């Protein structure tokens, strides 16, 4: 379980560890981004917690756990690149803060972790609250920290492909 603030290097570290140890990889933040993308596509106001909660269970969200090529689909549509846009980045916090969204995605994340482990493979899961809420019994928990400068530089590099993007908290 790899946790830490935005821009601390969770994804890079988790993918690297998973790849080097032959484990699967779970990017929980991508799941929140995928649901946010879907809400926006459906015209659901992401700042309306009631509407977001009412629709949170509708789309089928799937994630690939290959650390070399993670992917995300929503209702069988590949959204791997689409969820990294400025618009999604700016909206994901509002969606992720809705309790019904968190409940649904935490349950899905726990199911992915359980299925992977039951299948005989280990998994490196990364994201906010991963070691306390999603996988509190994880045998290894890492909380990454980085200086404000390093986090800002990392966030800036992440958003470089979308120059109009602004950082979002996921």
């Amino acid at each position: 379980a790899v946790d830490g603030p935005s821009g601390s290097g969770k994804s890079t570290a988790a993918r690297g560890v998973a790849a080097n140890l032959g484990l699967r990889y779970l990017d929980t933040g991508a799941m929140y981004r995928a649901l946010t993308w879907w809400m926006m596509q459906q015209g659901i106001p992401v700042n309306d917690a009631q509407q977001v909660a009412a629709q949170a269970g509708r789309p089928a969200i799937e994630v690939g756990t290959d650390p070399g090529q993670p992917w995300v689909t929503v209702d069988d549509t590949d959204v791997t690149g689409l969820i990294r846009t400025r618009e999604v980045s700016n909206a994901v916090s509002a969606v992720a803060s809705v309790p019904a969204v968190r409940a649904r995605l935490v349950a899905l994340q726990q199911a992915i972790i359980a299925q992977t482990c039951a299948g005989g493979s280990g998994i490196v899961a990364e994201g906010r609250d991963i070691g306390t809420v999603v996988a509190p019994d994880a045998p290894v928990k890492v909380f990454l920290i980085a200086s404000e400068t390093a986090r800002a530089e990392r966030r800036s590099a992440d958003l470089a492909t979308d120059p109009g993007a602004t950082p979002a908290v996921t």
Side-chain angles (χ1 to χ4, degrees), residues 1-3 10-12 14 25-29 124-128 130:
V2 180
D3 197 342
K10 294 183 299 290
S11 297
T12 302
Y25 164 71
L26 178 60
D27 176 358
T28 63
V124 179
E126 62 100 348
R128 302 287 176 82
I130 197 76

Side-chain angles (χ1 to χ4, degrees), residues 6-156:
S6 177
S8 61
K10 294 183 299 290
S11 297
T12 302
R15 284 176 58 181
V17 168
N20 282 316
L21 295 178
L23 303 173
R24 307 310 295 171
Y25 164 71
L26 178 60
D27 176 358
T28 63
M31 298 170 79
Y32 287 96
R33 288 173 167 278
L35 186 57
T36 300
W37 176 87
W38 182 86
M39 295 278 176
M40 294 169 68
Q41 293 300 303
Q42 302 303 309
I44 297 163
V46 297
N47 291 317
D48 184 332
Q50 273 190 315
Q51 286 193 51
V52 169
Q55 301 300 319
R58 283 192 48 209
I61 298 171
E62 295 183 24
V63 294
T65 59
D66 178 345
Q69 292 188 315
W71 51 264
V72 184
T73 64
V74 177
D75 292 334
D76 296 321
T77 298
D78 184 345
V79 297
T80 305
L82 298 173
I83 63 172
R84 305 293 174 183
T85 65
R86 173 190 57 204
E87 291 80 15
V88 172
S89 293
N90 289 344
V92 69
S93 292
V95 172
S97 68
V98 175
V101 167
R102 295 196 81 74
R104 181 199 178 194
L105 293 183
V106 165
L108 182 55
Q109 293 156 8
Q110 290 172 332
I112 292 168
I113 292 168
Q115 289 169 342
T116 302
C117 293
S121 179
I123 190 166
V124 179
E126 62 100 348
R128 302 287 176 82
D129 301 330
I130 197 76
T132 56
V133 176
V134 178
D137 297 328
V140 177
K141 297 179 186 181
V142 175
F143 189 86
L144 294 179
I145 58 171
S147 71
E148 290 291 324
T149 301
R151 291 175 55 215
E153 288 172 359
R154 185 179 303 276
R155 219 6 117 198
S156 178

